[in-house]
Amino acid sequence: MPLVAVAVATAPTPVVAQPAPGADKAELAAADKAVRAKDWDAALTHYQAAQQASPSPQAQLGAANSLYQLGRLGEAYEAYDQAQRDYAAKLGAADKATVAARLKDLAAKTGWLSVRVNEVGAQVDVDGKTLGTSPVPVLVRVPVGPHDIRISKAGFSPFASRAEVAPDGKAVIEANLVREATQAHLVVQASEPLRVSVDGVDVGSTPWEGDVAAGAHEIGGHSSTATALPQQVTVKPGDRSAVSLVVAATAAHLQVRTSDGKGLIYVDGAVKAEGAFSADVGPGPHTVVVSREGYERFEKALTLAPRETWAETVTLKPTGGGGGEVKSAERAFDGIYGGFGLAGLFGVGGQGTEIETRCDTLGASSCDAPSPIGGGAFGYVGWTWNPVGFELMLGASGDTVQQTAHFSGVNRAGTVLPISAPARDEKFTFARFGGVAAVRVRASFQNGLLRGTVAGGLGVSYKQMLMKRESTATDGTGRKDTYVPDGVSYTSPAISLEGALQLRVSGALAIALGLEMWADNASIFGSNAAPLR
């Protein structure tokens, strides 16, 4: 049943690690030393560290030159292009000339590669090296010539292609991943209508077709007048197999009626009709029961052979002896009534947390914000003047949800914010419990077997909320932090709605199955605005 709620949570801003003063100068010095030793790998590492500590033309050009010397031409082109875009006003004449010359040289040696994948989360490899998971960057600079593209994702067939990149040109690879076949397809037919069973489970009527797991299966069929011998089939993933069932008539016929047309008729424990029942049944043992309030119960066990017909008219005897006629009147639905139940709760509309509503401005690269789930119990008691009654309903519930913000150093818009670093995952666990009380109006309609009922009303809800935040660094440092603030509570007006269908076990007792909605709002009275300490 739906559970509508709004939750607000706050948390202190984590301390963001800042580079040590002078770190860029130390890294530049180490990079220059590596250049003199022609250790281009070390030089690249130090130039990149200097650029991260304090962006500068010197660090950017040094990294670009290191990539060029290492033969990583595509990356070198992008590094020089970025230097030209970011530091054009700060470059001297000599540096500008070097950048222009390198870009011209690299333009003839590299080109653009674009890989577009129809599935998110697929691993993209170019020439045996991982480019990332889809969606990957729109354009990637690579050396001129052929490049092998391989794309893989669990549950999908691998994709392989080759791209030919021309000097300063663009090659586009369109990859459409196709799901791997894990099931087979069965088509079942018979000469007359049957209910089809697969491994003992009824799946529908003939002609039937559907997907099944690969492997061995038992296919059978039956109806009220016939049956089909089970057949064994073995199918492989992607197979399409047809099965024709051989039908043999075996049904027996059962006919039961009461002398006055009243009383519930049960066959093998299931209610079939009131007053009269006639239908085909499978051969074998069966139990027939006829019951009526104020009369003795009739019960008979019998065994039917294939195509046998059994018919009987039952005259029920009044209870309590005597020869007077006992009239069975429908019990009036008037007076005091009550009920209780258990419920599974599913939140709608979200918790209202900043993870749901402000993931971008928090600096997170992505957020996971599922809806809460929980359970509850409720009961009610009231007085009815058929068909309308008034009642008091009391309920208790609890639910929980975990929401996670992922920080990778930049937010989802690609903007670097101080709060976006260090890379980490922040998991928030919210738990809420409390109760609701409501005055409701109920309307009910019934016959001898079923009762339909709807109820609705207004009341008040009280909830207590708890939160825990767990931060785990994903930058390799292994740092962790846990923060548990004091709980908050709120009181809110509440709406309660119910709709149910009840199976009448007796005149006074019924078993119900339906939907229950409890709705409240954590911000109605503002009682959830207390600061977390």
Side-chain angles (χ1 to χ4, degrees):
M1 67 185 60
L3 170 66
V4 180
V6 177
V8 176
T10 61
T13 302
V15 177
V16 179
Q18 299 292 335
D24 57 326
K25 295 181 180 179
E27 293 291 347
L28 287 173
D32 292 339
K33 181 178 179 181
V35 168
R36 290 191 295 272
K38 297 190 180 300
D39 185 355
W40 299 110
D41 284 314
L44 176 61
T45 299
H46 289 298
Y47 280 130
Q48 289 176 334
Q51 182 70 359
Q52 184 177 3
S54 180
S56 66
Q58 182 182 358
Q60 182 67 30
L61 290 176
N65 182 55
S66 299
L67 290 167
Y68 183 85
Q69 298 298 336
L70 288 169
R72 294 161 61 175
L73 304 183
E75 295 169 84
Y77 181 97
E78 293 184 346
Y80 279 117
D81 183 63
Q82 183 176 352
Q84 190 177 60
R85 286 185 284 106
D86 293 348
Y87 303 107
K90 298 181 179 180
L91 295 177
D95 288 337
K96 288 182 179 180
T98 299
V99 170
R102 285 287 171 86
L103 285 174
K104 183 178 180 180
D105 174 53
L106 291 169
K109 297 178 180 179
T110 62
W112 294 108
L113 175 64
S114 176
V115 181
R116 304 168 185 173
V117 187
N118 65 325
E119 289 288 334
V120 175
Q123 180 174 318
V124 180
D125 295 334
V126 178
D127 298 328
K129 296 181 180 180
T130 298
L131 181 62
T133 56
S134 59
V136 294
V138 176
L139 291 173
V140 179
R141 199 77 181 188
V142 296
V144 167
H147 295 275
D148 292 322
I149 314 299
R150 292 189 60 83
I151 302 172
S152 60
K153 183 179 179 180
F156 291 81
S157 298
F159 175 90
S161 183
R162 170 164 286 198
E164 188 71 34
V165 178
D168 207 23
K170 182 174 76 172
V172 178
I173 298 295
E174 296 281 357
N176 291 315
L177 297 184
V178 179
R179 288 190 178 276
E180 291 180 333
T182 60
Q183 294 185 311
H185 194 76
L186 279 181
V187 179
V188 182
Q189 298 178 330
S191 58
E192 64 181 81
L194 295 177
R195 296 295 298 180
V196 179
S197 63
V198 177
D199 300 326
V201 178
D202 189 303
V203 294
S205 301
T206 55
W208 175 87
E209 61 179 287
D211 294 329
V212 298
H217 298 279
E218 182 181 87
I219 314 300
H222 69 279
S223 70
S224 59
T225 60
T227 188
L229 294 176
Q231 297 186 32
Q232 300 290 333
V233 296
T234 300
V235 292
K236 298 178 181 179
D239 280 356
R240 181 182 178 89
S241 301
V243 177
S244 295
L245 296 176
V246 179
V247 180
T250 59
H253 190 77
L254 181 62
Q255 181 177 312
V256 183
R257 67 177 65 251
T258 60
S259 57
D260 58 359
K262 296 182 179 180
L264 294 177
I265 299 174
Y266 296 78
V267 178
D268 299 328
V271 176
K272 295 297 184 180
E274 184 172 6
F277 170 74
S278 178
D280 291 325
V281 296
H286 299 278
T287 301
V288 176
V289 173
V290 182
S291 67
R292 180 181 174 189
E293 190 173 348
Y295 290 79
E296 293 181 0
R297 171 189 174 97
F298 170 86
E299 181 172 348
K300 189 170 186 177
L302 59 147
T303 300
L304 300 179
R307 296 178 292 279
E308 179 183 359
T309 297
W310 183 85
E312 184 162 340
T313 299
V314 178
T315 300
L316 296 177
K317 297 179 180 180
T319 58
E325 181 181 2
V326 177
K327 295 183 179 180
S328 177
E330 179 65 32
R331 186 177 188 272
F333 189 50
D334 290 318
I336 192 169
Y337 69 95
F340 68 93
L342 301 175
L345 304 180
F346 306 90
V348 297
Q351 292 282 83
T353 64
E354 291 186 338
I355 297 176
E356 297 172 347
T357 61
R358 299 179 56 223
C359 184
D360 287 338
T361 57
L362 287 176
S365 58
S366 63
C367 295
D368 302 326
S371 296
I373 59 173
F378 65 96
Y380 55 87
V381 63
W383 186 279
T384 181
W385 297 267
N386 191 19
V388 177
F390 293 86
E391 66 187 44
L392 173 65
M393 188 277 291
L394 299 176
S397 66
D399 61 271
T400 184
V401 67
Q402 285 189 346
Q403 299 183 347
T404 305
H406 305 281
F407 296 84
S408 62
V410 297
N411 66 5
R412 289 196 294 188
T415 303
V416 178
L417 298 176
I419 197 174
S420 301
R424 66 194 185 280
D425 288 340
E426 293 193 1
K427 180 173 70 175
F428 295 82
T429 302
F430 301 98
R432 173 176 52 184
F433 55 91
V436 61
V439 176
R440 306 195 300 188
V441 178
R442 180 177 296 275
S444 302
F445 307 90
Q446 65 184 24
N447 58 28
L449 181 62
L450 299 174
R451 177 185 298 138
T453 180
V454 293
L458 302 176
V460 64
S461 172
Y462 173 81
K463 296 290 175 64
Q464 179 76 21
M465 297 182 62
L466 304 174
M467 187 201 81
K468 180 173 73 173
R469 188 200 71 193
E470 298 174 281
S471 298
T472 303
T474 57
D475 57 2
T477 62
R479 290 176 294 175
K480 293 184 178 181
D481 179 61
T482 299
Y483 174 72
V484 181
D486 294 339
V488 296
S489 62
Y490 67 88
T491 304
S492 165
I495 298 174
S496 174
L497 298 175
E498 176 184 333
L501 183 64
Q502 302 177 353
L503 175 64
R504 300 184 64 191
V505 179
S506 68
L509 180 64
I511 299 174
L513 178 66
L515 295 175
E516 186 87 17
M517 187 188 86
W518 302 340
D520 61 21
N521 191 310
S523 298
I524 289 294
F525 293 151
S527 59
N528 66 325
L532 300 179
R533 298 183 294 275

